Amino acid sequence: MRFIFIVQGEGRGHMTQGISLSQMLNAHGHEVCHVIVGKSRRRELPAFFAEQIRCPLTQVSSPNFVADRKSKSVSLFKTLFFNMLRLPVYLKSIDKIDQIIKEEQPDRIINFYDFIAGFYFLMKRSSVSHVAIAHQFLLNHSEFEFPKGKFFDRFALKLGNRLAGFKAEKLLCLSFQFYEDEKEKRIFVVPPLLRKELELQRVEREDFFLIYMVNHGYAEQVREFHRAHPELQLHCFWDKRGVPDQLVEDETLTFHRLNDTKFLSLMARCKGYLSTAGFESICEAMYLGKPVLMVPVQGHYEQLCNAVDAVRSGAGISSSTFDLQLLLDYLPRFNDVSKDFKSWCKSTDDTFLKNLIDK
Protein backbone atom coordinates (compact mmCIF):
# COMPACT_ATOMS: atom_id res chain seq x y z
CA MET A 1 0.00 0.00 0.00
CA ARG A 2 1.00 3.60 -0.58
CA PHE A 3 0.54 6.11 2.24
CA ILE A 4 0.66 9.87 2.65
CA PHE A 5 1.33 11.23 6.16
CA ILE A 6 0.09 14.63 7.36
CA VAL A 7 2.02 15.45 10.52
CA GLN A 8 1.58 18.19 13.12
CA GLY A 9 4.85 20.10 13.51
CA GLU A 10 4.28 21.25 17.11
CA GLY A 11 6.89 19.73 19.45
CA ARG A 12 8.70 16.50 18.55
CA GLY A 13 6.12 13.84 19.47
CA HIS A 14 4.02 13.64 16.30
CA MET A 15 7.17 13.73 14.18
CA THR A 16 8.86 10.83 15.97
CA GLN A 17 5.58 8.91 15.69
CA GLY A 18 5.66 9.54 11.95
CA ILE A 19 9.24 8.27 11.69
CA SER A 20 8.38 5.15 13.70
CA LEU A 21 5.32 4.29 11.63
CA SER A 22 7.21 4.95 8.40
CA GLN A 23 9.95 2.52 9.47
CA MET A 24 7.34 -0.09 10.38
CA LEU A 25 5.42 0.19 7.10
CA ASN A 26 8.60 0.11 5.01
CA ALA A 27 9.80 -2.99 6.88
CA HIS A 28 6.57 -4.78 5.88
CA GLY A 29 6.78 -3.86 2.18
CA HIS A 30 4.59 -0.75 2.12
CA GLU A 31 5.56 2.76 1.00
CA VAL A 32 5.21 6.22 2.51
CA CYS A 33 5.24 8.19 -0.73
CA HIS A 34 4.95 11.72 0.69
CA VAL A 35 4.94 13.46 4.07
CA ILE A 36 3.21 16.81 4.62
CA VAL A 37 4.18 18.71 7.78
CA GLY A 38 2.23 21.56 9.33
CA LYS A 39 4.49 24.52 10.05
CA SER A 40 4.25 27.77 12.01
CA ARG A 41 6.31 30.94 12.25
CA ARG A 42 7.67 30.20 15.71
CA ARG A 43 9.08 26.72 15.07
CA GLU A 44 11.66 25.27 12.72
CA LEU A 45 11.42 21.75 11.33
CA PRO A 46 14.00 19.70 13.30
CA ALA A 47 16.81 18.40 11.10
CA PHE A 48 16.40 14.86 12.45
CA PHE A 49 12.90 14.58 10.96
CA ALA A 50 13.90 15.59 7.44
CA GLU A 51 16.90 13.24 7.61
CA GLN A 52 15.04 10.18 8.89
CA ILE A 53 11.64 10.29 7.21
CA ARG A 54 13.36 9.43 3.86
CA CYS A 55 10.66 10.38 1.38
CA PRO A 56 9.47 13.58 -0.37
CA LEU A 57 8.54 16.17 2.26
CA THR A 58 6.40 19.30 1.95
CA GLN A 59 5.70 21.91 4.62
CA VAL A 60 2.41 23.79 4.63
CA SER A 61 1.12 26.49 6.96
CA SER A 62 -1.18 25.03 9.59
CA PRO A 63 -3.20 26.30 12.57
CA ASN A 64 -1.15 26.31 15.74
CA PHE A 65 -1.14 27.52 19.32
CA VAL A 66 0.02 31.04 20.12
CA ALA A 67 2.09 31.53 23.27
CA ASP A 68 2.19 34.59 25.52
CA ARG A 69 5.02 37.15 25.32
CA LYS A 70 7.20 35.10 27.64
CA SER A 71 6.77 31.97 25.44
CA LYS A 72 5.39 29.97 28.36
CA SER A 73 1.60 29.70 28.43
CA VAL A 74 -0.89 29.23 25.59
CA SER A 75 -3.25 32.15 24.97
CA LEU A 76 -6.58 30.79 23.75
CA PHE A 77 -7.88 34.20 22.62
CA LYS A 78 -4.68 35.03 20.70
CA THR A 79 -4.69 31.54 19.18
CA LEU A 80 -8.22 31.94 17.82
CA PHE A 81 -7.65 35.52 16.60
CA PHE A 82 -4.29 34.77 14.93
CA ASN A 83 -5.56 31.68 13.14
CA MET A 84 -8.68 33.45 11.89
CA LEU A 85 -6.48 36.14 10.30
CA ARG A 86 -4.48 33.43 8.53
CA LEU A 87 -7.46 31.68 6.93
CA PRO A 88 -6.41 32.72 3.38
CA VAL A 89 -3.00 31.14 4.00
CA TYR A 90 -4.59 27.93 5.25
CA LEU A 91 -6.83 27.75 2.18
CA LYS A 92 -3.66 27.71 0.06
CA SER A 93 -2.32 24.89 2.25
CA ILE A 94 -5.49 22.88 1.64
CA ASP A 95 -5.11 23.36 -2.12
CA LYS A 96 -1.47 22.23 -1.88
CA ILE A 97 -2.47 19.09 0.02
CA ASP A 98 -5.13 18.37 -2.59
CA GLN A 99 -2.57 18.73 -5.38
CA ILE A 100 -0.11 16.33 -3.67
CA ILE A 101 -2.82 13.72 -3.04
CA LYS A 102 -4.00 13.84 -6.66
CA GLU A 103 -0.40 13.49 -7.91
CA GLU A 104 0.60 10.67 -5.56
CA GLN A 105 -2.66 8.68 -5.64
CA PRO A 106 -2.14 7.05 -2.21
CA ASP A 107 -4.19 4.12 -0.93
CA ARG A 108 -4.57 5.72 2.48
CA ILE A 109 -3.83 9.01 4.26
CA ILE A 110 -2.71 9.08 7.88
CA ASN A 111 -3.19 12.26 9.90
CA PHE A 112 -0.98 12.74 12.95
CA TYR A 113 -3.33 15.27 14.56
CA ASP A 114 -2.81 18.24 12.25
CA PHE A 115 -5.86 20.46 12.03
CA ILE A 116 -5.07 21.39 8.42
CA ALA A 117 -5.84 17.76 7.50
CA GLY A 118 -9.19 18.06 9.26
CA PHE A 119 -9.96 21.20 7.25
CA TYR A 120 -8.90 19.39 4.08
CA PHE A 121 -11.40 16.56 4.61
CA LEU A 122 -14.03 19.09 5.66
CA MET A 123 -13.66 21.16 2.48
CA LYS A 124 -12.59 18.69 -0.20
CA ARG A 125 -14.42 15.61 -1.44
CA SER A 126 -11.55 13.16 -1.27
CA SER A 127 -12.27 9.52 -2.06
CA VAL A 128 -9.05 8.36 -0.37
CA SER A 129 -9.61 6.57 2.93
CA HIS A 130 -7.87 8.04 5.95
CA VAL A 131 -7.03 7.22 9.55
CA ALA A 132 -6.19 9.66 12.35
CA ILE A 133 -3.59 8.88 15.02
CA ALA A 134 -3.02 10.69 18.34
CA HIS A 135 -3.03 10.27 22.10
CA GLN A 136 -5.60 13.09 22.19
CA PHE A 137 -8.29 10.80 20.75
CA LEU A 138 -8.14 8.71 23.94
CA LEU A 139 -10.05 11.58 25.58
CA ASN A 140 -13.09 10.36 23.61
CA HIS A 141 -12.93 7.01 25.43
CA SER A 142 -15.58 6.45 28.08
CA GLU A 143 -12.98 5.34 30.68
CA PHE A 144 -10.65 8.33 30.33
CA GLU A 145 -10.30 10.35 33.55
CA PHE A 146 -10.29 14.11 33.01
CA PRO A 147 -8.77 16.74 35.31
CA LYS A 148 -11.36 18.31 37.58
CA GLY A 149 -13.11 21.44 36.34
CA LYS A 150 -12.13 23.36 33.20
CA PHE A 151 -15.29 22.37 31.34
CA PHE A 152 -14.78 24.94 28.58
CA ASP A 153 -11.24 23.65 27.94
CA ARG A 154 -12.58 20.09 27.79
CA PHE A 155 -15.23 21.17 25.28
CA ALA A 156 -12.61 23.00 23.16
CA LEU A 157 -10.28 19.97 23.13
CA LYS A 158 -13.07 17.61 22.15
CA LEU A 159 -13.98 20.05 19.37
CA GLY A 160 -10.34 19.93 18.24
CA ASN A 161 -10.50 16.13 18.28
CA ARG A 162 -13.57 16.24 16.10
CA LEU A 163 -11.82 18.46 13.57
CA ALA A 164 -8.54 16.48 13.54
CA GLY A 165 -10.47 13.23 13.13
CA PHE A 166 -13.10 14.54 10.71
CA LYS A 167 -14.39 11.72 8.44
CA ALA A 168 -11.56 9.39 9.58
CA GLU A 169 -12.43 5.69 9.25
CA LYS A 170 -10.65 5.00 12.54
CA LEU A 171 -9.30 7.04 15.43
CA LEU A 172 -6.17 5.24 16.64
CA CYS A 173 -5.70 6.33 20.26
CA LEU A 174 -2.10 6.09 21.41
CA SER A 175 -2.17 5.11 25.06
CA PHE A 176 0.15 4.56 28.04
CA GLN A 177 -1.86 1.44 28.90
CA PHE A 178 -4.50 -0.95 27.58
CA TYR A 179 -8.16 0.06 27.19
CA GLU A 180 -10.90 -1.83 25.36
CA ASP A 181 -11.74 -0.56 21.85
CA GLU A 182 -15.01 1.32 21.42
CA LYS A 183 -15.73 0.54 17.80
CA GLU A 184 -19.10 2.29 17.77
CA LYS A 185 -17.13 5.53 18.33
CA ARG A 186 -14.42 4.50 15.79
CA ILE A 187 -12.02 4.34 18.76
CA PHE A 188 -9.20 1.78 18.60
CA VAL A 189 -6.68 1.88 21.45
CA VAL A 190 -3.09 1.21 20.37
CA PRO A 191 0.36 1.14 22.00
CA PRO A 192 2.77 4.08 21.55
CA LEU A 193 4.69 4.43 18.29
CA LEU A 194 8.20 4.22 19.71
CA ARG A 195 11.17 4.20 17.37
CA LYS A 196 13.40 1.13 17.08
CA GLU A 197 16.40 3.17 18.21
CA LEU A 198 14.89 3.21 21.70
CA GLU A 199 15.36 -0.55 22.03
CA LEU A 200 19.08 -0.16 21.28
CA GLN A 201 19.76 2.27 24.12
CA ARG A 202 21.91 1.07 26.98
CA VAL A 203 20.12 2.09 30.17
CA GLU A 204 22.36 3.61 32.83
CA ARG A 205 21.96 6.02 35.75
CA GLU A 206 24.47 8.83 35.48
CA ASP A 207 24.48 11.85 37.75
CA PHE A 208 22.50 14.35 35.65
CA PHE A 209 18.90 15.31 34.88
CA LEU A 210 17.33 15.68 31.45
CA ILE A 211 14.87 18.50 30.72
CA TYR A 212 12.68 19.12 27.67
CA MET A 213 10.63 22.29 27.25
CA VAL A 214 8.28 22.68 24.29
CA ASN A 215 8.26 26.47 24.93
CA HIS A 216 11.64 28.08 25.58
CA GLY A 217 10.08 30.59 28.00
CA TYR A 218 10.45 27.99 30.75
CA ALA A 219 14.25 28.35 30.52
CA GLU A 220 14.17 31.09 33.18
CA GLN A 221 12.62 28.70 35.73
CA VAL A 222 15.38 26.21 34.94
CA ARG A 223 18.04 28.91 35.39
CA GLU A 224 16.43 29.93 38.68
CA PHE A 225 16.69 26.40 40.02
CA HIS A 226 20.21 26.11 38.64
CA ARG A 227 21.32 29.22 40.53
CA ALA A 228 20.03 27.67 43.75
CA HIS A 229 21.55 24.23 43.02
CA PRO A 230 24.62 24.75 40.80
CA GLU A 231 26.01 21.36 41.84
CA LEU A 232 23.32 19.47 39.87
CA GLN A 233 24.12 18.66 36.22
CA LEU A 234 21.30 19.66 33.85
CA HIS A 235 20.89 18.99 30.12
CA CYS A 236 17.97 20.90 28.56
CA PHE A 237 16.41 20.59 25.10
CA TRP A 238 14.51 23.50 23.59
CA ASP A 239 13.46 24.89 20.20
CA LYS A 240 14.64 28.49 20.56
CA ARG A 241 15.51 30.12 17.26
CA GLY A 242 18.87 31.79 16.64
CA VAL A 243 20.88 29.88 19.24
CA PRO A 244 23.72 27.38 18.73
CA ASP A 245 23.03 23.64 18.60
CA GLN A 246 24.66 23.45 22.02
CA LEU A 247 24.67 26.40 24.41
CA VAL A 248 26.94 25.75 27.42
CA GLU A 249 26.04 28.26 30.12
CA ASP A 250 28.48 26.80 32.66
CA GLU A 251 29.90 23.48 33.84
CA THR A 252 26.54 22.07 34.94
CA LEU A 253 23.94 23.70 32.66
CA THR A 254 23.73 23.04 28.91
CA PHE A 255 20.94 23.88 26.44
CA HIS A 256 20.60 21.75 23.28
CA ARG A 257 18.63 22.31 20.09
CA LEU A 258 16.30 19.41 19.26
CA ASN A 259 18.40 16.43 18.16
CA ASP A 260 16.67 13.11 18.52
CA THR A 261 19.75 10.88 18.62
CA LYS A 262 21.36 12.98 21.34
CA PHE A 263 18.05 13.23 23.22
CA LEU A 264 17.54 9.44 23.36
CA SER A 265 21.14 8.88 24.42
CA LEU A 266 20.81 11.33 27.31
CA MET A 267 17.39 9.94 28.24
CA ALA A 268 18.87 6.43 28.58
CA ARG A 269 21.64 7.70 30.87
CA CYS A 270 19.89 10.34 33.00
CA LYS A 271 18.88 10.06 36.66
CA GLY A 272 15.45 11.57 36.02
CA TYR A 273 13.44 13.44 33.41
CA LEU A 274 11.59 16.75 33.68
CA SER A 275 9.32 17.80 30.81
CA THR A 276 6.28 19.62 29.59
CA ALA A 277 3.64 16.91 29.43
CA GLY A 278 3.93 15.76 25.82
CA PHE A 279 2.95 12.13 25.25
CA GLU A 280 5.91 10.77 23.29
CA SER A 281 8.86 11.57 25.54
CA ILE A 282 6.96 10.40 28.63
CA CYS A 283 6.51 7.03 26.88
CA GLU A 284 10.24 6.93 26.17
CA ALA A 285 10.99 7.62 29.84
CA MET A 286 8.58 4.86 30.93
CA TYR A 287 10.20 2.42 28.49
CA LEU A 288 13.67 3.22 29.87
CA GLY A 289 12.52 3.17 33.51
CA LYS A 290 13.17 6.85 34.21
CA PRO A 291 11.20 8.83 36.85
CA VAL A 292 9.36 11.79 35.34
CA LEU A 293 8.21 15.20 36.56
CA MET A 294 5.61 16.62 34.15
CA VAL A 295 4.86 20.35 33.90
CA PRO A 296 1.88 20.93 31.57
CA VAL A 297 2.19 24.14 29.55
CA GLN A 298 -0.12 26.77 31.06
CA GLY A 299 -3.35 27.05 29.09
CA HIS A 300 -2.60 23.79 27.26
CA TYR A 301 -5.45 21.59 28.49
CA GLU A 302 -4.34 18.65 26.37
CA GLN A 303 -1.05 18.49 28.29
CA LEU A 304 -2.91 18.70 31.60
CA CYS A 305 -4.89 15.63 30.50
CA ASN A 306 -1.67 13.90 29.45
CA ALA A 307 -0.18 14.49 32.89
CA VAL A 308 -3.24 13.07 34.69
CA ASP A 309 -3.19 9.98 32.46
CA ALA A 310 0.59 9.50 32.83
CA VAL A 311 0.50 9.76 36.63
CA ARG A 312 -2.31 7.20 36.65
CA SER A 313 -0.13 4.93 34.47
CA GLY A 314 2.83 5.13 36.85
CA ALA A 315 5.14 7.45 34.86
CA GLY A 316 5.81 9.85 37.72
CA ILE A 317 4.44 13.08 39.19
CA SER A 318 3.17 16.41 37.89
CA SER A 319 3.55 20.04 38.91
CA SER A 320 2.69 23.53 37.67
CA THR A 321 6.33 24.70 37.77
CA PHE A 322 9.77 23.47 36.68
CA ASP A 323 10.78 22.72 40.27
CA LEU A 324 13.41 19.99 40.09
CA GLN A 325 13.33 19.66 43.87
CA LEU A 326 10.00 17.83 43.51
CA LEU A 327 11.69 15.27 41.28
CA LEU A 328 14.59 14.90 43.71
CA ASP A 329 12.15 14.23 46.56
CA TYR A 330 10.25 11.71 44.39
CA LEU A 331 13.24 9.55 43.43
CA PRO A 332 13.26 7.34 46.57
CA ARG A 333 9.62 6.32 46.10
CA PHE A 334 9.67 5.90 42.31
CA ASN A 335 8.23 2.55 41.14
CA ASP A 336 9.70 1.41 37.82
CA VAL A 337 6.87 0.30 35.46
CA SER A 338 9.09 -0.36 32.44
CA LYS A 339 8.49 -4.14 32.46
CA ASP A 340 4.69 -3.82 32.13
CA PHE A 341 5.04 -0.92 29.71
CA LYS A 342 7.36 -2.92 27.41
CA SER A 343 4.85 -5.80 27.42
CA TRP A 344 2.16 -3.38 26.22
CA CYS A 345 4.52 -2.07 23.51
CA LYS A 346 5.32 -5.56 22.15
CA SER A 347 2.00 -5.62 20.29
CA THR A 348 2.67 -2.34 18.44
CA ASP A 349 3.52 -3.72 14.98
CA ASP A 350 0.69 -6.28 14.89
CA THR A 351 -1.87 -3.79 16.19
CA PHE A 352 -0.99 -1.05 13.70
CA LEU A 353 -0.74 -3.35 10.70
CA LYS A 354 -4.11 -4.84 11.59
CA ASN A 355 -5.70 -1.38 11.79
CA LEU A 356 -3.98 0.19 8.78
CA ILE A 357 -3.68 -2.66 6.28
CA ASP A 358 -6.43 -5.16 7.02
CA LYS A 359 -9.93 -4.24 5.98
Side-chain angles (χ1 to χ4, degrees), residues 146-158:
F146 286 91
K148 293 180 180 178
K150 296 186 178 291
F151 296 107
F152 176 75
D153 296 272
R154 186 189 301 189
F155 170 78
L157 183 52
K158 285 195 169 185

Side-chain angles (χ1 to χ4, degrees), residues 253-267:
L253 177 59
T254 304
F255 288 92
H256 307 268
R257 291 288 296 277
L258 284 180
N259 178 306
D260 216 45
T261 302
K262 184 190 290 186
F263 181 84
L264 285 182
S265 174
L266 289 170
M267 172 77 84

Side-chain angles (χ1 to χ4, degrees), residues 51-87:
E51 291 167 2
Q52 296 181 42
I53 200 64
R54 296 181 181 177
C55 71
L57 187 152
T58 301
Q59 287 188 270
V60 298
S61 294
S62 176
N64 219 314
F65 293 110
V66 177
D68 64 4
R69 290 181 180 179
K70 295 181 179 179
S71 292
K72 287 171 63 177
S73 65
V74 170
S75 170
L76 187 58
F77 175 76
K78 287 182 179 179
T79 295
L80 292 171
F81 183 70
F82 175 79
N83 286 308
M84 284 178 64
L85 289 178
R86 288 183 60 78
L87 279 176

Side-chain angles (χ1 to χ4, degrees), residues 31-247:
E31 178 190 4
V32 180
C33 56
H34 210 113
V35 171
I36 301 166
V37 183
K39 67 178 180 179
S40 68
R41 291 177 177 178
R42 69 192 183 108
R43 301 201 189 280
E44 295 177 352
L45 184 70
F48 77 84
F49 183 74
E51 291 167 2
Q52 296 181 42
I53 200 64
R54 296 181 181 177
C55 71
L57 187 152
T58 301
Q59 287 188 270
V60 298
S61 294
S62 176
N64 219 314
F65 293 110
V66 177
D68 64 4
R69 290 181 180 179
K70 295 181 179 179
S71 292
K72 287 171 63 177
S73 65
V74 170
S75 170
L76 187 58
F77 175 76
K78 287 182 179 179
T79 295
L80 292 171
F81 183 70
F82 175 79
N83 286 308
M84 284 178 64
L85 289 178
R86 288 183 60 78
L87 279 176
V89 176
Y90 300 148
L91 290 174
K92 290 181 181 179
S93 295
I94 290 167
D95 288 338
K96 183 63 178 177
I97 293 171
D98 193 46
Q99 176 190 339
I100 292 170
I101 290 171
K102 287 176 178 176
E103 289 174 357
E104 296 285 2
Q105 292 291 304
D107 298 297
R108 185 159 289 170
I109 299 165
I110 300 178
N111 177 24
F112 291 87
Y113 208 74
D114 198 308
F115 293 134
I116 200 68
F119 280 118
Y120 169 77
F121 288 107
L122 178 66
M123 298 180 66
K124 300 288 185 179
R125 293 184 177 181
S126 176
S127 60
V128 183
S129 69
H130 79 285
V131 171
I133 299 175
H135 175 60
Q136 288 91 329
F137 294 128
L138 192 64
L139 276 64
N140 296 359
H141 198 284
S142 60
E143 292 185 33
F144 188 85
E145 293 184 10
F146 286 91
K148 293 180 180 178
K150 296 186 178 291
F151 296 107
F152 176 75
D153 296 272
R154 186 189 301 189
F155 170 78
L157 183 52
K158 285 195 169 185
L159 193 63
N161 279 359
R162 186 160 186 174
L163 174 60
F166 189 76
K167 287 188 177 178
E169 291 179 2
K170 296 179 180 179
L171 304 176
L172 301 190
C173 312
L174 300 168
S175 176
F176 295 117
Q177 58 187 324
F178 174 80
Y179 290 87
E180 293 287 349
D181 295 340
E182 294 184 341
K183 296 180 181 179
E184 70 281 2
K185 296 182 182 179
R186 299 174 293 145
I187 290 175
F188 298 82
V189 181
V190 295
L193 276 167
L194 302 178
R195 293 170 53 210
K196 300 301 180 185
E197 288 85 346
L198 190 64
E199 300 174 13
L200 305 177
Q201 301 301 316
R202 181 177 175 181
V203 180
E204 299 177 9
R205 193 173 184 271
E206 297 181 15
D207 195 19
F208 70 88
F209 291 90
L210 179 64
I211 300 173
Y212 170 63
M213 56 192 81
V214 70
N215 292 331
H216 63 79
Y218 285 102
E220 191 49 45
Q221 288 186 16
V222 173
R223 290 187 176 106
E224 247 178 72
F225 179 86
H226 173 64
R227 285 190 286 269
H229 301 275
E231 74 283 359
L232 294 176
Q233 184 89 30
L234 307 177
H235 286 277
C236 310
F237 281 80
W238 60 0
D239 66 347
K240 189 173 183 179
R241 286 175 174 265
V243 295
D245 288 345
Q246 183 168 297
L247 179 63

